[in-house]
Amino acid sequence: MIISIATIRKHLALPKTSWQICLLAIIGGAASALLVVLFTLTIEEIQQLYLIKRDNYNSLDEVSRFHLPIIGSLIILLMAWLTGYKYIRTGIPFVLHRLKVAHGIIPFKNTLNQFWGSAVALASGFSVGREGPAVHLGAACSSYLGSVLKLPYNSTRTLCACGIAAGIAATFNTPIAAVIFVMEVVMREYKAHVFVPVMLASIVGSLITRSVFGTSHNFQHFNTIALEQQHYFSLILLAIVLGILAAAFNKYLVVIIKKSVKYHIVPRLILAALITGTLGYLVPGAMGTGTSAIDISLTNNLPLGFLFSLLIAKLLMTMFALGLGIPGGIIGPTISIGAITGALVGAVVIQVLPGEHVSSDFILMGMAGFMAASLNAPLATLLAVVELSGQLELVVPAMIVITIASIVSRQLCKNESIFIMQLDAQNLLYRKPPVEESLQNIGALAVMKDNLLILEQASPRTIIGELLHSHESQLVINKEPTSETDQLNNYYWAQLDVEVVDDESEDIEHNLANKLILHKLIPLSHQVTLAEAYLALVEQRSGAVYIYHKDINDCIGLVTFEQLRIYLLEGKLN
């Protein structure tokens, strides 16, 4: 049996798990993962022109390390100029914002700037990560599928979340952490009808990246951890340091964002390039997304002074690159900052406590603690570190570090998620009232009353007669515009403001003429959710909106304020 696209759209408007949304999640996830793989290959191809090994900027001479970020910033500015400077917002905070204000639909020019701008930034040594671009590209790709098919906005939001999961899984080959990141950081809720398609998209993303890059993870070279219970006190001290450092990192990153926002993007990116080039000239290991810094941290018997200088350089590079507007993510640098901090604390502890591999263990714990405290995403962080390292033995010590670091950062230092702080600093909307949050999960198509009886320019007597005898149908009157300023659509919903009782009078219709109410109907697209219907009716708290498909003058259904009221009070769709 052939199912029409209209039937599929109406089914997708409901907040339920279905094979239709799962199939779309797989298609969107595959497209998103392929785009992220192309993005990764683009970075590697650029770096192969001048680096011996990916992200290894130690192979460059001092002058080249200084020039490279400047050249990169000029290319980024050229692309921003070609696409229009107003489309330079990118990354995870921008995606969170678009999820709230546009159901996850991303403008194409922002995505273009994200792809090429981030590829150049990552290839030219800026301290930014790949996961921010992966989230943006995945969200844009999957939500575009929903836009092309004209799906209800609630299902487009779900597809956007699927694209994010597929993008992260394709970047790090961590499907479980990708799913939890979407639920914990992006959607900030756990719903079965979202969880299942997101999980499918994450699986597809992981399978695609494994087919291209293999099954290995970035941190599988870590040896089996050697932490014992006697080391837990040192882990607590490490967690306290990580919590305080994460709070300071978030705070000063936001300060840079707020101070620089009043300046044009050109001087901001040039300044970021000069700072990165100068620090790269002095400390080349701090350049790039952070894999080089982690490799350096794993080296045995490094001087404490060197590790401290590497940490300071990495902190400054990351804060100024992201704070001044270089396109890229923050998770990669936070992992490397945590690793350096762990190596620094471990170098001190190893002189006191026995354990041959304690230093590398502290690096892993540093990654987990700093990332969790900075992002305020403890569960996603725990699973990410476990998947990246392949070490199940670190779960208990990692939970200790993550818990304490998060408490210190959140409660004692009054820190929030860096994504939320970035949104506040950039004045981007990311919160909605709980009523709207609930209503935006349901598409208007799913609940609209489509048993319509449409009258053309009917008289009051005719309208009342139809109201009295057509109890099941919704009576809609279409009148001609009364002036040139009227919109072409002129639909009204007829209603009586009294309860009609049995009356044998033949003139009841005439007696009810003064009780007739005609509500001017507000037109809304078939893609809208109940949240848009609620906002259109909340001031008058009565009446209805009408849904149209292509032609604004073609009324295909009604959503009444009474339906919304019953749902909000009783949780029932009427």
Side-chain angles (χ1 to χ4, degrees), residues 204-277:
V204 171
S206 182
L207 290 175
I208 288 176
T209 197
R210 289 181 183 186
S211 65
V212 177
F213 300 111
T215 60
S216 63
H217 291 289
N218 291 337
F219 307 132
Q220 282 187 336
H221 51 269
F222 283 100
N223 297 319
T224 302
I225 66 169
L227 290 172
E228 302 291 344
Q229 290 188 2
Q230 64 264 28
H231 298 129
Y232 285 0
F233 177 74
S234 299
L235 290 180
I236 293 173
L237 296 179
L238 172 63
I240 294 172
V241 172
L242 292 169
I244 296 172
L245 186 63
F249 171 78
N250 287 11
K251 175 184 176 181
Y252 288 107
L253 172 57
V254 170
V255 167
I256 294 172
I257 293 174
K258 290 181 177 179
K259 295 289 185 182
S260 64
V261 71
K262 57 185 177 182
Y263 299 103
H264 194 269
I265 190 65
V266 174
R268 283 159 49 192
L269 294 198
I270 295 299
L271 177 60
L274 290 173
I275 293 173
T276 299

Side-chain angles (χ1 to χ4, degrees), residues 49 70 93 152 358 417 472 501:
L49 298 176
I70 298 175
V358 169
S417 167
E472 295 183 358
V501 296

Side-chain angles (χ1 to χ4, degrees), residues 72 155 158 160 168 204 210 240 249 314 341 346 369 407 467 542 551:
S155 56
T158 300
C160 178
I168 295 175
V204 171
R210 289 181 183 186
I240 294 172
F249 171 78
K314 192 64 180 176
T341 306
I407 292 173
L467 284 173
S542 62
D551 185 359

Side-chain angles (χ1 to χ4, degrees), residues 1-12 19-20 149 151 445 549:
M1 183 177 72
I2 299 176
I3 302 177
S4 66
I5 186 65
T7 303
I8 293 176
R9 289 193 186 113
K10 192 166 184 177
H11 195 82
L12 291 173
W19 68 264
Q20 293 95 334
L149 297 176
L151 299 180
L445 277 178
H549 178 41

Side-chain angles (χ1 to χ4, degrees), residues 11-12 16-23:
H11 195 82
L12 291 173
K16 294 181 179 179
T17 304
S18 63
W19 68 264
Q20 293 95 334
I21 192 64
C22 290
L23 178 60

